[in-house]
Amino acid sequence: MLVMGVETSCDETAAAIVDDRGTILAQALATQTTEHEIYGGVVPEIAARAHLSYLPPLIKDILKQADLNLEQIDAFAATTGPGLVGGLLVGSMMTKAMAFALQKPFVAVNHLEAHALSARMVADVPFPYLLLLISGGHTQLLLAQDVGRYKLLGTTLDDALGEAFDKTAQMLGLGYPGGRQLEQQARAGDPLRFRLPRPLINQPGCSFSFSGLKTAVRQLIQAKLPELTAVHRPSLLDEQRQTICDVSAAFQSAVVDVVSNRCEHAIAWCREHAPDVRSFVMAGGVAANTSLRQAVQKLCTRNDVQMMVPPIELCTDNAAMVAWAGLEHFRMGQIDSYDAPVRPVWPLENLQDLGHAASKGISL
Ligand code: KG4
Ligand code: ZN
């Protein structure tokens, strides 16, 4: 059973072929960092046009890598939401066109669910499990009850965690997207030199908030590193470089404290309401952060929960997870019609109401 997955919801164009054991037969990905870098964020119209030119060669490439022709693909899956509407349309229309031409099933995949199920591709992670999804666009704690069934325990009230990393990195002159660079700087920094706020820490529930932290970092940078905001930036002295490292470390340490505290609340909630939860899955680009992983690992060990983080190339946006989510639904007989719409806003909790309208009960 071979499924082709296509991902175009943000600024990554990706295609992959996955089999029903979770083996990735082929995958290809084109990032649009250079297209958006000068704007300091993703420009939707530029992203849609880039997907349009990148996707056809990527599809040819994965078929060649796997030594397959299109007729040998059993089902097609594409991200149809949530995300930027232009990109979603490009990816889903192209995928539906292939499925329709070959009269093969099409599965409309929710991008968040693709992240949620990615751990099951590489390990035996039974339902129910806790999921921390932390990316450039999302920050959520979820209870994954089954394929298509999710309960939202908490989300961000303002910025996504990846966005907070990227904005802080940008203010520190570390480029865009700068999460990874900020982590590198933090390694050489003193997390105790500056004290930043820890929004919502110890408050009841599992919500997140990062805008206050971002404002505090901005004020700190304006006070300690005014040269970074100067129009003609002078070359930096060693002392200023050290301050960049120390601010990065202070930011990361605040984030680690907040995220650990929110995860601890989620684990406590599960103990009371979902006692059969045994695993904690971390996904999304920010799950690449080593300090965060170590902190969550400690928390899981303390609470006798198994932590599972998919390999980093499966944590960040990719098409293998889309193919896999398509496969999980296909296996349950849930497919979609060729005119399934795109959904720029598509909360995971509404999956059963809106997705897979055309369940046809296909058996393998
Ligand atoms: O999941 P992803 O690839 O794309 C989205 O769906 O957004 O996540 C990208 C985000 C960016 O904000 C990036 O800065 C962040 O993940 N990121 C990191 C690290 N590596 C990537 N943030 C913190 N530490 C890292 N090592
Ligand atoms: Zn994502």
Side-chain angles (χ1 to χ4, degrees), residues 215-285:
T215 305
V217 181
R218 194 178 61 236
Q219 286 166 346
L220 180 62
I221 293 170
Q222 280 164 352
K224 302 289 174 189
L225 289 160
E227 43 287 302
L228 287 185
T229 45
V231 180
H232 301 293
R233 212 178 108 182
S235 53
L236 297 173
L237 307 170
D238 283 352
E239 191 190 314
Q240 290 160 334
R241 283 204 200 93
Q242 186 57 47
T243 302
I244 292 178
C245 295
D246 295 343
V247 173
S248 301
F251 170 82
Q252 189 172 268
S253 144
V255 164
V256 166
D257 286 354
V258 167
V259 174
S260 304
N261 176 259
R262 308 284 84 194
C263 292
E264 194 154 22
H265 282 206
I267 292 174
W269 183 91
C270 285
R271 212 173 288 126
E272 203 173 317
H273 301 280
D276 31 351
V277 166
R278 296 275 170 274
S279 319
F280 186 110
V281 174
M282 245 169 113

Side-chain angles (χ1 to χ4, degrees), residues 31-250:
T31 51
Q32 302 176 8
T33 318
T34 41
E35 282 88 338
H36 304 290
E37 202 170 19
I38 53 161
Y39 303 101
V42 179
V43 183
E45 176 65 11
I46 294 175
R49 285 170 194 275
H51 288 305
L52 195 58
S53 60
Y54 290 156
L55 190 53
L58 288 189
I59 290 170
K60 276 194 196 137
D61 181 24
I62 55 166
L63 288 167
K64 198 165 158 215
Q65 273 181 44
D67 196 19
L68 292 166
N69 56 48
L70 216 45
E71 289 75 22
Q72 289 169 284
I73 304 293
D74 298 298
F76 292 81
T79 301
T80 57
L84 301 172
V85 68
L88 293 171
L89 279 169
V90 169
S92 64
M93 293 304 279
M94 240 181 245
T95 311
K96 283 187 218 167
M98 291 186 283
F100 179 72
L102 295 159
Q103 286 299 296
K104 298 279 175 78
F106 169 74
V107 186
V109 170
N110 178 299
H111 180 85
L112 303 176
E113 183 173 39
H115 277 301
L117 296 174
S118 60
R120 287 164 55 81
M121 208 173 139
V122 284
D124 180 22
V125 185
F127 292 110
Y129 56 89
L130 249 179
L131 171 76
L132 172 67
L133 176 55
I134 37 178
S135 70
H138 302 279
T139 306
Q140 303 193 337
L141 269 161
L142 293 148
L143 176 67
Q145 296 162 306
D146 201 346
V147 175
R149 279 184 55 218
Y150 303 88
K151 182 172 175 57
L152 184 67
L153 304 182
T155 186
T156 178
L157 306 177
D158 38 60
D159 296 346
L161 181 52
E163 205 180 334
F165 264 99
D166 292 342
K167 297 240 168 88
T168 303
Q170 208 175 4
M171 289 188 274
L172 289 169
L174 303 175
Y176 173 87
R180 203 159 57 90
Q181 288 81 340
L182 189 145
E183 178 176 21
Q184 272 163 6
Q185 299 293 314
R187 273 196 204 117
D190 171 7
L192 300 177
R193 180 171 162 204
F194 304 114
R195 174 86 188 162
L196 288 167
R198 275 125 173 95
L200 294 182
I201 201 159
N202 295 331
Q203 298 292 315
C206 305
S207 303
F208 299 86
S209 168
F210 296 107
S211 69
L213 175 59
K214 201 178 65 188
T215 305
V217 181
R218 194 178 61 236
Q219 286 166 346
L220 180 62
I221 293 170
Q222 280 164 352
K224 302 289 174 189
L225 289 160
E227 43 287 302
L228 287 185
T229 45
V231 180
H232 301 293
R233 212 178 108 182
S235 53
L236 297 173
L237 307 170
D238 283 352
E239 191 190 314
Q240 290 160 334
R241 283 204 200 93
Q242 186 57 47
T243 302
I244 292 178
C245 295
D246 295 343
V247 173
S248 301

Side-chain angles (χ1 to χ4, degrees), residues 5-47:
V6 168
E7 163 59 39
T8 55
S9 65
C10 191
D11 59 345
E12 244 104 37
T13 319
I17 301 169
V18 169
D19 74 10
D20 48 356
R21 287 189 306 256
T23 310
I24 302 172
L25 276 76
Q27 61 177 327
L29 185 138
T31 51
Q32 302 176 8
T33 318
T34 41
E35 282 88 338
H36 304 290
E37 202 170 19
I38 53 161
Y39 303 101
V42 179
V43 183
E45 176 65 11
I46 294 175

